[in-house]
Amino acid sequence: MTAVLERPPPAPAPEPPAPRRTARLPRRALAVAAVLLAWVLLGALLRGRQTLALGPAELSPLHRGLSEVTDSIGAGRATNPLFTHGFDVVRQVVDAVVTLFQDVIAQPSFGRPVPVLGWLGVVAVAVLLAALAASWRVALLTGAGLVTVGLQGLWTESMETLALTLAAVLVCLLIGIPLGIWAGVSHRVHRVLTPVLDVMQTMPSLVYLAPLTLVFLIGPASATIATIVYAVPPVIRLTAAGVREAPAGVVEAARSVGADRWQTLRTVRLPLARQLVVTGVNQTIMAALSMATIAALINAPGLGQTVLQALETLDVGTAFNAGLAIVVLAVLLDRATSAASARVARRRGAPARGPWGRAAVGAGVVLTLVAVWFSRTYVWAAQFPAEASVGPRIADAADAVSAWAQTNLSALTLEFKDAATESVLNPLQTLLTDSPWWVTGGALVALAGLAGGRRAVVAAVVCLGLLIALGLWEDSMTTLASTLVATVLTLSLGVTAGVAMGRSARVDAAVRPFLDAAQSMPPFVYLVPFLALFAASRFTAILAAVVYAVPVTTKIVADGIRAVPVETVEAATSAGSTRWQVVTKVQLPMSRHALALAANQGLIYVLAMVVVGGLVGAGALGYDVVAGFSQSTLYGKGLAAGASIVLLGVLLDRVTQAAAARTRAPA
């Protein structure tokens, strides 16, 4: 004890010189202010000049050229071997897979007026699979959820969506798991795949549709392929991470006893990666369901068609009923796969089922076979009883609530919308779109450089230059304005809620389930309630984008706050700091990398939703993409709009990533 007391205290770690820190940050802030001031002044002096404006029905030479190229491609499909022996073969194979799933659960098949499995058989099989993969509690939830969509009068539509989702997920797993394993064992493959997956996950879902319809035509096959492209990155990434992160000691132990590379992979790496692989399956399923509903724009069957048609006619009740069914399916799929992932982690190394467990499984199999037989024999068990539908009542109730809100809240909501639009959105959009293109472009490049350095400048110059070349500068800046406003709102809410969750385990436990549920909802669903409150407008798309992006932002901020060492917080508190001072002077500064990452993900999520908001009056690039589907003369412009969205996403992603990388450097 004496020796410990006599030991001299360790020297404190050297801190960065205060003058350097206090000198550098104001210089950067002053530089940002100078750029903004110069932008505003030049924009006001030169307003309306060299804006590169293009009307909704106007086309540039590039757009006409793209339309001509697509027309020539379509005219030569029947004789071009690239299509007859390539793309058409892929389309037919995918179409066969989708048709198989539809025949089993969704549509009349094999000469019967009903699917192979009627509703009772589908419910029984789903309950059994959920019980085997997750738990009986999840199985009961699965059964109740499927019966619910049947009671909504949307059984067939729900099964069409589920069939397309399952077909896409099957192909995703057949492609993604082998690729993920390969990337996990090969550094070269991992380096090649990573940037490709980055681009795929940065692109908003709507962008995939137009080019794929050019190659695979409009229909379920093209919708499934779009869903596969959108949903496959998570399972590749997480499978690769699981294989790569196997403990080095365990791998070396296997090799020391003579196991070769294949044996080590099969007996060590893959078993240890099971939990991450199942998590990847969960993320792929959720992405596939989300894309399967958006793919209604290219004639994908199911609930997406119902929501799309309701949005086009502003039928809030029908949209709400179908959106509720999508949410139910999303929750069921998410809970089943999440519980399966947790069960894999919990039962690693646990003993196999005992006699009672095997007996329960046997009884479940027998009951499932009986239910399947009933569903193939009796009409009442094959077709969900139409007389039991409560869907019209749900739609009527939603219409009544919408009408009440429009009658009693419209003055407040429309006043709020108009005030926010006039005071924030319109000035920012005017600055971006009415300033000369070279003023706006120069200001954006300068701000990118101040935020992220040279790499951000290069990304900004390349992306902005390509936006000009694509002929949609004004629409791109309009979309950027909505994206920036929505991102500011998202970060304001996300940081506030994230700090509260990071500081309190009780708040985290109460809020996180709602965030998990919100993340499982496809983008279409978010449009419905705001459509009822704010009508079709840019503001509706912005609010829907905020709600869509807040969950992921909040989680990242909460994790960053929670990662701040407890000792640091306690030291600040013991020194007399108030709670506000601890948050603003300690936790937020030490979480600045998490904040930058939250801004990055918030921007990407917001951009994806703002583009989907083109369906409810957001206009700009989202409208251009949707118009390209419906009007053949605008197809080339729709392709250019999709490319412009990708460029905006890449620009925002690269700048925020560069800013996040800067936060790792010592101050």
Side-chain angles (χ1 to χ4, degrees):
M1 184 68 177
T2 304
V4 173
L5 292 176
E6 291 177 353
R7 182 179 300 165
E15 296 183 358
R20 184 180 178 185
R21 177 178 296 183
T22 56
R24 186 174 64 179
L25 292 180
R27 280 204 301 268
R28 188 180 299 175
L30 287 174
V32 170
V35 170
L36 292 176
L37 180 61
W39 187 6
V40 171
L41 292 177
L42 287 173
L45 290 173
L46 303 173
R47 178 173 297 173
R49 304 179 188 177
Q50 299 177 329
T51 58
L52 305 181
L54 191 69
E58 292 184 82
L59 300 174
S60 71
L62 174 65
H63 303 158
R64 295 190 187 92
L66 288 174
S67 295
E68 292 171 0
V69 169
T70 57
D71 290 341
S72 64
I73 290 175
R77 290 185 65 94
T79 56
N80 190 328
L82 183 62
F83 286 93
T84 56
H85 301 293
F87 296 132
D88 286 349
V89 174
V90 173
R91 178 171 58 85
Q92 291 165 6
V93 171
V94 173
D95 190 59
V97 175
V98 177
T99 302
L100 175 62
F101 278 93
Q102 290 175 327
D103 288 344
V104 173
I105 64 174
Q107 64 187 10
S109 56
F110 303 110
R112 291 164 49 87
V114 291
V116 172
L117 287 182
W119 73 268
L120 185 61
V122 171
V123 171
V125 171
V127 167
L128 178 64
L129 292 177
L132 294 175
S135 67
W136 283 107
R137 185 175 299 175
V138 175
L140 293 176
L141 175 66
T142 300
L146 290 175
V147 171
T148 298
V149 298
L151 292 174
Q152 290 179 252
L154 295 169
W155 179 263
T156 300
E157 292 85 351
S158 299
M159 292 303 102
E160 292 277 8
T161 297
L162 187 60
L164 193 150
T165 301
L166 293 177
V169 169
L170 174 62
V171 179
C172 283
L173 299 185
L174 292 176
I175 296 173
I177 291 179
L179 271 180
I181 294 172
W182 193 10
V185 299
S186 170
H187 295 289
R188 182 178 299 175
V189 174
H190 186 264
R191 286 196 301 269
V192 171
L193 280 180
T194 296
V196 176
L197 298 177
D198 287 343
V199 173
M200 291 170 67
Q201 290 192 293
T202 302
M203 292 171 62
S205 54
L206 202 64
V207 176
Y208 289 96
L209 302 183
L212 287 174
T213 58
L214 173 63
V215 177
F216 298 105
L217 303 178
I218 289 177
S222 184
T224 306
I225 293 169
T227 303
I228 292 166
V229 174
Y230 181 71
V232 76
V235 72
I236 296 176
R237 283 189 184 277
L238 289 170
T239 300
V243 173
R244 292 173 67 86
E245 293 173 7
V250 179
V251 174
E252 290 300 325
R255 290 175 177 170
S256 67
V257 296
D260 58 22
R261 191 175 183 180
W262 166 247
Q263 290 171 327
T264 303
L265 174 66
R266 183 173 55 85
T267 60
V268 176
R269 290 185 181 273
L270 287 180
L272 292 175
R274 279 184 301 178
Q275 184 182 359
L276 275 179
V277 172
V278 176
T279 302
V281 173
N282 168 269
Q283 295 300 304
T284 289
I285 289 174
M286 302 314 298
L289 178 61
S290 172
M291 190 65 185
T293 55
I294 294 176
L297 289 166
I298 56 174
N299 206 29
L303 294 168
Q305 284 284 351
T306 306
V307 175
L308 179 61
Q309 292 167 7
L311 290 176
E312 289 174 346
T313 59
L314 301 182
D315 185 351
V316 174
T318 301
F320 177 81
N321 188 42
L324 180 61
I326 294 172
V327 171
V328 170
L329 288 182
V331 170
L332 296 183
L333 292 171
D334 179 60
R335 290 296 176 268
T337 49
S338 296
S341 177
R343 187 172 186 174
V344 167
R346 188 171 58 251
R347 296 192 60 183
R348 185 177 295 166
R353 289 187 177 92
W356 288 106
R358 291 193 292 271
V361 170
V365 171
V366 171
L367 290 175
T368 300
L369 292 175
V370 171
V372 168
W373 180 82
F374 272 104
S375 75
R376 290 183 53 81
T377 306
Y378 297 100
V379 175
W380 64 265
Q383 296 178 336
F384 205 95
E387 59 274 11
S389 173
V390 296
R393 278 180 275 180
I394 294 175
D396 291 342
D399 282 331
V401 171
S402 175
W404 179 88
Q406 292 173 5
T407 301
N408 297 279
L409 302 178
S410 60
L412 178 62
T413 57
L414 294 179
E415 182 179 350
F416 176 67
K417 178 185 73 173
D418 292 341
T421 301
E422 293 298 328
S423 61
V424 179
L425 183 58
N426 284 350
L428 178 59
Q429 181 172 316
T430 299
L431 180 64
L432 284 164
T433 59
D434 289 1
S435 300
W437 66 267
W438 51 271
V439 172
T440 299
L444 292 176
V445 169
L447 293 174
L450 291 170
R454 294 180 181 177
R455 294 174 60 187
V457 168
V458 172
V461 170
V462 172
C463 291
L464 294 175
L466 291 174
L467 285 175
I468 294 172
L470 287 170
L472 292 172
W473 176 262
E474 185 180 45
D475 284 355
S476 299
M477 294 301 103
T478 301
T479 298
L480 180 60
S482 298
T483 302
L484 294 176
V485 170
T487 301
V488 171
L489 293 174
T490 297
L491 290 177
S492 301
L493 295 172
V495 170
T496 302
V499 168
M501 290 174 61
R503 289 177 54 85
S504 171
R506 183 176 300 177
V507 173
D508 187 277
V511 175
R512 193 169 288 269
F514 293 98
L515 299 181
D516 291 340
Q519 280 192 282
S520 68
M521 297 182 192
F524 264 7
V525 177
Y526 289 95
L527 296 175
V528 177
F530 294 106
L531 183 65
L533 288 173
F534 298 98
S537 66
R538 292 173 298 166
F539 193 72
T540 302
I542 288 174
L543 289 184
V546 171
V547 177
Y548 181 60
V550 158
V552 65
T553 304
T554 302
K555 285 184 176 182
I556 293 172
V557 173
D559 292 340
I561 295 293
R562 195 177 298 109
V564 175
V566 177
E567 296 80 5
T568 305
V569 177
E570 291 177 348
T573 304
S574 64
S577 299
T578 63
R579 181 179 300 178
W580 174 253
Q581 289 172 327
V582 170
V583 171
T584 57
K585 304 295 185 183
V586 178
Q587 291 179 310
L588 286 178
M590 294 187 70
S591 305
R592 60 186 185 274
H593 178 62
L595 294 176
L597 181 60
N600 171 270
Q601 291 300 296
L603 278 167
I604 299 304
Y605 273 67
V606 161
L607 177 61
M609 192 63 196
V610 165
V611 172
V612 174
L615 298 170
V616 291
L621 294 178
Y623 171 81
D624 293 335
V625 172
V626 176
F629 296 135
S630 56
Q631 304 177 47
S632 58
T633 56
L634 298 178
Y635 192 85
K637 189 175 185 179
L639 289 175
S644 300
I645 293 168
V646 173
L647 289 171
L648 276 182
V650 171
L651 170 62
L652 296 172
D653 179 61
R654 291 298 177 265
V655 171
T656 50
Q657 280 198 24
R662 267 193 167 189
T663 63
R664 296 193 186 99

